[in-house]
Structures are given as C-alpha cells and as structure tokens.
C-alpha cells in the first residue's frame, strides 16, 4: 500500500514538530518516498539535517524557495511530485492562510500549486484552538473535500495545561496517510452506518480470574480506521483493547464492554442503525457456570471448572438481519481455513466472512500484519496475501462493496 508512494510532509512551527520525525521515519521504512518542507519557525524546533537524514533526501526550506538558481519553481516541482501532503503540526497561522488561500512561503505556495489530498494535523494551546476565529477557519476547511483532518487530542500541553490541542498520535497520522494513499482521498462510504466489534471478551470466574483469548483488537481498530477514513459513520463496540490510535477520530461512537453478554446487549442496541456489521471480536464460546463475587483463594479453586455456553452473537444477528444490512464474520482457523469458514458463512447466515489463518507467523492475534481468504455468499473467494491490518481492512471493505454491487 505504501511502496514507492510519494508523500510530501510539511512541518509547521510548533513543539509537536519533533513527533513528525517519527512519522517521517515510519513512512520511509514502509517504503514511501518522502520529501519534507520545513517552515521557517519549524526550524527553531528541528533542523533540516534531522529531516534530511530521516527522509534520505534534502530538506526544503524558504531559503531554497527564494533562490534565483532554481531551474523550476520549487512549489510547482513539489506540488506536481506529491501524491499526498501532510501538514503537521498545523499552526493557527497556517490554518488561517489555508482558509483564505494566502501564499507567502514554500508550504502555502505548494498547497496552492498542487491538487493532491492534504491531511491536516493541528496542534496548539487550548485557548488558541478554542478561539472563535480558529474554530471558524477549521470548520471552513472541513467543507473542502481536498482537506482531510485529524482533530487534536486532549492531554498535557507544552504550556503545562491539560486540555485539547495535542497533535494526533504519530501512528494515527500514519494510518490516516495510508488510508488516503489507498483511496486517493475518495470517501466512498459516506452515509453508511458501520458497526464494528473488536477485542476478546473476558468471562470472569471471580473478580481476578477470567477465561479470555489473545485478541488485541488490532484488526477491529484497523477496520474502524479504514471505514472512518472512507467517510462511514462508525460505531465500535469493544472489549478491553488499546484505543489510543482512535482518539483523534471525532464523532466515532465507542462502547466499551467486558463480557460476551455485554457485547450482545450493546450490539443489539446499535444493530438497527447499522448498514454493515463487521464482527471482528473474538467472542468467548464458554464461560464459568458460576461467578464468585469475592476472590477465591487457591485452596477454594475447583479442581474441575464447570462451564456453560455463551450465546453466539453473530448467529443471532444473522437471523434478525434486514435485507439492506450486510453481515461480515471472521473465522479464526488453523489448518484448512476455507472449509470451516464457508460452513460458518452459511450456518450463521452471513454475507461475507474472512478466513484467518491464526497459526501463520505474522497473521492473527497481536500481529500488525494479517492475511486470509475472503468468501461471500455468491461463492466468490479472494486470497489476501500478508499485508498490514489496515490494508486488509480496506480490501475487505472493497470486497463487501463488490458483493453488494453484484446483488443489485
Ligand atoms: N462469534 C460470535 N459469538 C460467539 C462466538 C463467535 O458472534 N459467541 C463470531 C465471531 O465474532 C466471529 C465468528 O463468530 O466473527 C466466528 O468466530 P469463531 O470463533 O471463528 O467461530 P465459532 O463460531 O466460535 O466456532 P469454533 O470456535 O467452533 O470454530
């Protein structure tokens, strides 16, 4: 998804500039070609040498821009070269210039001299972010389809205050860039309600012991990012997982649960307004037959643990599904992955299922990569070789779209 893609990073004058070094390094290591513009003030925080070393290419500054010996104007060269542009940290000053189409430096001239999608990651003090003028400018840019944005998060700021204004986390920015490169900035899921489940449920025996599984929720989180970046209205029902990469997605509805019963409850409440339901959670199959409200001592632990079955959420959804809804399941398998996955597809009345070989290195639980075979009710099969979970998420969304288009 990122191999040889051309990413132009423009760094603004703010302390979060140091975090952009991590972004440059990460996307370079993923195979992208990276060029970097440093605004004059950005150079007070990080140097041209830093970004040149990380991107393996000279850094572009205003000093180079205004030189008489440029063969072609630098803003035109860079603007034509870029497939995508990231502006991070976006300062209040640059935000205002973008809003009014002003161009007084290399960064702003390059924006005006190009057509590629632009990803904005603002960072500033809370008072600045909450100023009416800043809010109005930000709102105005949201209406321009060229701009894609990651809202600043709440946290400790360089001014020692805790408030909204921290730049989105580098990995959230890299994910948004990757999605934009995949879709070329198209928001093809606008108006779609997508309900996603993620993580492994935990079925407690007593307050400190539970039956669980190794799911980390990374595949579910990747599906959230992919669907969100494509414009869907996303609701996430998740077991205990790391949601840090999702905090900069405004309007994402999240519901945190622990047990399969709680997941069933939350999913049934959200089900009606969903067009697509992607059931990536690793839901328990059984739970302890009895829950003890106080901690059992070692000597009180039963020699044999009595278990009872947990309701199959997906099967219930399959029998309640409306014709406009599309139900997607995940089958974590070892050995032959396709035969049992196809059985689950029919047995649970699903539209699509991803057969996932969890016994392969770099696939399944906790890995950043995944692979598998997508199957649909029409008998189509698509093998997805090992790739990032985000890319797999996009390919799954494409497969669902094709399946639905075929049904029409
Ligand atoms: N699933 C569910 N409720 C459960 C168990 C599973 O909704 N109690 C869903 C999962 O979220 C997944 C799909 O069913 O999308 C398949 O899960 P998997 O564990 O592979 O299959 P099971 O149906 O549990 O069958 P088995 O464990 O026997 O392979």
């Amino acid at each position: 998804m990122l191999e040889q893609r051309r990413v132009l990073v423009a760094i603004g004058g703010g302390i979060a500039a140091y975090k952009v070094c991590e972004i440059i390094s990460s996307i370079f290591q993923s195979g992208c070609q990276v060029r970097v513009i440093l605004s004059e003030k950005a150079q007070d925080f990080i140097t041209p040498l830093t970004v040149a070393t990380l991107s393996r290419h000279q850094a572009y500054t205003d000093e180079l821009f205004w030189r008489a010996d440029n063969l072609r104007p630098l803003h035109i060269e860079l603007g034509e070269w870029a497939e995508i542009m990231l502006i991070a940290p976006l300062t209040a000053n640059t935000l205002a210039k973008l809003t009014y189409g002003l161009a007084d430096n290399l960064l702003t001239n390059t924006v005006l001299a190009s057509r590629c999608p632009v990803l904005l990651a603002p960072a500033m003090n809370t008072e600045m972010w909450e100023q009416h003028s800043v809010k109005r400018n930000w709102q105005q840019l949201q209406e321009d389809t060229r701009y894609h944005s990651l809202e600043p998060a709440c946290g400790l700021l360089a001014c020692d205050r805790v408030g909204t204004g921290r730049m989105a986390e580098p990995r959230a920015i890299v994910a948004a860039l990757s999605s934009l490169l995949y879709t070329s900035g198209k928001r093809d899921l606008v108006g779609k309600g997508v309900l996603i489940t993620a993580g492994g449920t935990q079925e407690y025996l007593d307050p400190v012991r539970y039956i669980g599984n190794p799911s980390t929720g990374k595949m579910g989180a990747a599906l959230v990012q992919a669907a969100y970046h494509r414009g869907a209205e996303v609701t996430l029902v998740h077991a205990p997982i790391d949601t840090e990469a999702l905090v900069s997605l405004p309007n994402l509805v999240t519901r945190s649960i622990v047990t399969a019963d709680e997941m069933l409850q939350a999913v049934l409440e959200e089900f009606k307004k969903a067009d697509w339901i992607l059931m990536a959670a690793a839901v328990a199959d059984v739970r302890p037959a009895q829950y003890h409200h106080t901690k059992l001592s070692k000597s009180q632990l039963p020699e044999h643990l009595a278990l009872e079955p947990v309701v199959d959420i997906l099967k219930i959804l399959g029998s309640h599904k409306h014709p406009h809804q599309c139900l997607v399941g995940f089958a974590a398998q070892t050995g032959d992955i396709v035969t049992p996955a196809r059985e689950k597809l029919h047995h649970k009345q699903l539209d699509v299922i991803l057969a996932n070989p969890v016994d392969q290195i770099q696939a399944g639980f906790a890995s950043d990569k995944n692979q598998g075979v997508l199957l649909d009710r029409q008998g189509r099969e698509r093998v997805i070789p090992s790739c990032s979970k985000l890319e797999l998420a996009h390919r799954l969304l494409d497969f669902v779209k094709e399946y639905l288009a075929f049904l029409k």
Side-chain angles (χ1 to χ4, degrees):
M1 186 153 74
L2 299 178
E3 201 63 35
Q4 292 304 317
R5 306 299 295 269
R6 299 185 306 277
V7 181
L8 178 60
V9 178
I11 307 180
I15 181 59
Y18 84 93
K19 290 191 188 171
V20 180
C21 297
E22 195 181 326
I23 297 169
I24 295 168
S25 174
S26 165
I27 54 180
F28 177 81
Q29 285 176 44
S30 308
C32 286
Q33 297 180 49
V34 192
R35 302 287 181 267
V36 184
I37 296 174
L38 278 164
S39 76
E40 193 189 332
K41 290 292 169 216
Q43 293 171 65
D44 291 339
F45 293 95
I46 53 172
T47 69
L49 181 61
T50 317
V51 298
T53 310
L54 292 171
S55 65
R56 317 294 198 271
H57 201 277
Q58 78 174 126
Y60 294 101
T61 59
D62 285 338
E63 199 190 320
L64 282 177
F65 182 40
W66 303 116
R67 263 175 38 181
D69 58 351
N70 285 334
L71 295 178
R72 284 191 80 207
L74 205 45
H75 60 305
I76 310 288
E77 282 283 306
L78 287 169
E80 284 175 0
W81 178 87
E83 276 182 79
I84 188 167
M85 188 169 175
L86 163 70
I87 307 181
L90 174 71
T91 59
N93 190 33
T94 301
L95 168 61
K97 289 185 202 170
L98 296 183
T99 309
Y100 293 101
L102 300 177
D104 64 349
N105 58 13
L106 178 57
L107 190 164
T108 46
N109 273 283
T110 307
V111 172
L112 292 191
S114 59
R115 288 185 182 277
C116 64
V118 181
L119 179 63
L120 305 173
M124 61 194 79
N125 156 278
T126 310
E127 301 299 344
M128 295 171 80
W129 176 247
E130 288 176 352
Q131 281 301 323
H132 175 69
S133 53
V134 174
K135 284 252 158 290
R136 185 197 53 214
N137 290 345
W138 180 245
Q139 215 42 56
Q140 199 167 318
L141 285 194
Q142 306 307 306
E143 285 157 27
D144 186 331
T145 52
R146 186 179 177 203
Y147 293 105
H148 302 261
S149 39
L150 285 168
E151 297 256 334
C154 186
L156 179 65
L157 305 174
C159 54
D160 280 337
R161 275 189 52 174
V162 174
T164 303
R166 268 170 80 95
M167 192 176 75
E169 284 305 309
R171 62 191 168 123
I173 295 178
V174 172
L177 271 176
S178 308
S179 283
L180 282 172
L181 283 168
Y182 187 91
T183 60
S184 306
K186 280 190 213 83
R187 291 190 173 106
D188 56 350
L189 298 185
V190 168
K192 282 260 172 297
V194 180
L195 171 60
I196 297 169
T197 66
T201 61
Q202 299 175 349
E203 312 300 326
Y204 277 80
L205 168 66
D206 70 7
V208 298
R209 300 180 182 90
Y210 64 84
I211 296 178
N213 60 70
S215 170
T216 53
K218 283 186 179 177
M219 190 62 230
L223 285 163
V224 169
Q225 288 172 320
Y228 187 96
H229 295 148
R230 288 164 79 152
E233 286 158 31
V234 183
T235 301
L236 169 67
V237 176
H238 67 87
I241 61 168
D242 173 8
T243 52
E244 199 182 63
L246 306 178
V247 293
S248 35
L249 306 180
N251 305 325
L252 171 70
V253 178
T254 56
R255 295 189 59 173
S256 170
I257 55 85
V258 176
T259 66
D261 266 359
E262 289 167 2
M263 180 166 278
L264 173 68
Q265 193 58 40
V267 163
L268 287 179
E269 282 165 22
E270 302 294 341
F271 181 60
K272 268 197 212 112
K273 59 175 197 261
D275 299 300
W276 296 6
I277 301 99
L278 315 179
M279 193 76 196
V283 188
D285 295 317
V286 289
R287 68 172 154 240
Q290 194 190 352
Y291 175 70
H292 300 268
H293 291 273
T294 51
K295 184 189 166 186
L296 297 174
S297 66
K298 223 181 299 178
S299 60
Q300 289 172 314
L301 284 174
E303 206 169 309
H304 300 285
L305 187 60
L307 301 173
E308 65 182 21
V310 160
V311 64
D312 191 316
I313 303 173
L314 203 47
K315 204 164 160 211
I316 293 181
L317 300 184
S319 59
H320 283 71
K321 190 169 85 85
H322 297 286
H324 77 277
Q325 290 181 309
C326 180
L327 199 53
V328 180
F330 291 74
Q333 306 293 156
T334 56
D336 170 17
I337 61 170
V338 172
T339 313
R342 190 162 285 293
E343 276 163 17
K344 286 175 192 176
L345 176 87
H346 291 292
H347 176 63
K348 302 194 190 196
Q349 301 183 60
L350 310 179
D351 297 285
V352 168
I353 196 162
L354 174 73
N356 196 196
V358 285
D359 54 350
Q360 301 292 310
I361 299 166
Q362 295 221 310
F365 300 127
S367 171
D368 288 325
K369 293 196 159 191
N370 207 354
Q371 57 181 285
V373 182
L374 285 162
L375 313 166
D376 72 10
R377 273 190 99 71
Q378 302 296 323
R380 284 191 317 152
E381 281 187 25
R382 181 168 302 159
V383 176
I384 313 287
S386 176
C387 59
S388 71
K389 285 191 167 165
L390 186 66
E391 178 168 353
L392 181 64
H394 278 294
R395 297 187 66 174
L396 182 145
L397 296 175
D398 287 346
F399 191 78
V400 170
K401 271 184 67 186
E402 288 166 29
Y403 164 77
L404 294 174
F406 184 80
L407 290 186
K408 274 184 191 160

